[in-house]
Amino acid sequence: QVQVVQSPGGSVQAGGTLTLSCAAHGSPYCAFDVIWYRQPPEKEREFVATMRDDRTTSYADAVKGRFTLSQDRAKNTCYLQMDSLRPEDTATYYCKTNPVVTWSAQCRIWDAWGQGALVTVSS
C-alpha cells in the first residue's frame, strides 16, 4: 500500500512564499514521478508542475519562473516552493505519484493522490 501525505497549506499575502511538501511511502518500492495539480475555487483542476524520477522537471506557464520543485530522495519527499504568489494562485494543491513502470501490478499501487492542501493568497 502507498500513502501520499501532503503538508498543510496556508495563507499568505501576495508576493509571499510558501512551500508545500509531498511525501510518498509504500512497499514494495517502485520508481515514480510526482505531479502537482491545483484546483482553484469553482474551477477545474489544472496541471502545475512535475518532478520526474530522473529529476527532470516541467512547469505550467502560469507558474514558470515563480515555482520551483525539489526533492529529498532519502525521505521520498518532493517540495513545491512557491514564490511571488498571486491571488490567482489561490487553490487546493494536490500531489500525485505516477509509477514509471505501469505494466507491473506491484508498481501500479504507486498511482496515488495526496489529500490536498489549501493555499490562500490575499491581495
Side-chain angles (χ1 to χ4, degrees):
Q1 191 169 355
V2 171
Q3 282 192 320
V4 180
V5 180
Q6 296 182 232
S7 57
S11 297
V12 295
Q13 290 194 321
T17 294
L18 196 62
T19 299
L20 303 179
S21 68
C22 172
H25 303 284
S27 178
Y29 177 82
C30 286
F32 58 90
D33 301 332
V34 177
I35 306 174
W36 290 87
Y37 296 92
R38 67 185 182 185
Q39 186 164 15
E42 300 180 5
K43 293 187 179 179
E44 297 291 314
R45 187 176 296 174
E46 61 187 27
F47 167 77
V48 175
T50 187
M51 167 72 83
R52 299 179 193 86
D53 179 65
D54 64 2
R55 297 184 184 253
T56 58
T57 57
S58 297
Y59 299 90
D61 288 344
V63 307
K64 202 172 293 183
R66 300 188 297 121
F67 289 14
T68 305
L69 286 169
S70 61
Q71 65 176 189
D72 182 336
R73 290 247 173 166
K75 296 181 180 179
N76 266 3
T77 299
C78 179
Y79 302 94
L80 179 67
Q81 180 177 326
M82 306 181 290
D83 299 320
S84 303
L85 281 162
R86 305 167 180 168
E88 55 263 38
D89 294 318
T90 294
T92 299
Y93 285 72
Y94 297 90
C95 67
K96 181 181 185 297
T97 54
N98 259 23
V100 173
V101 173
T102 57
W103 53 261
S104 166
Q106 80 174 25
C107 286
R108 283 198 292 270
I109 65 172
W110 285 88
D111 186 343
W113 286 89
Q115 79 275 22
L118 177 61
V119 173
T120 303
V121 184
S122 58
S123 57

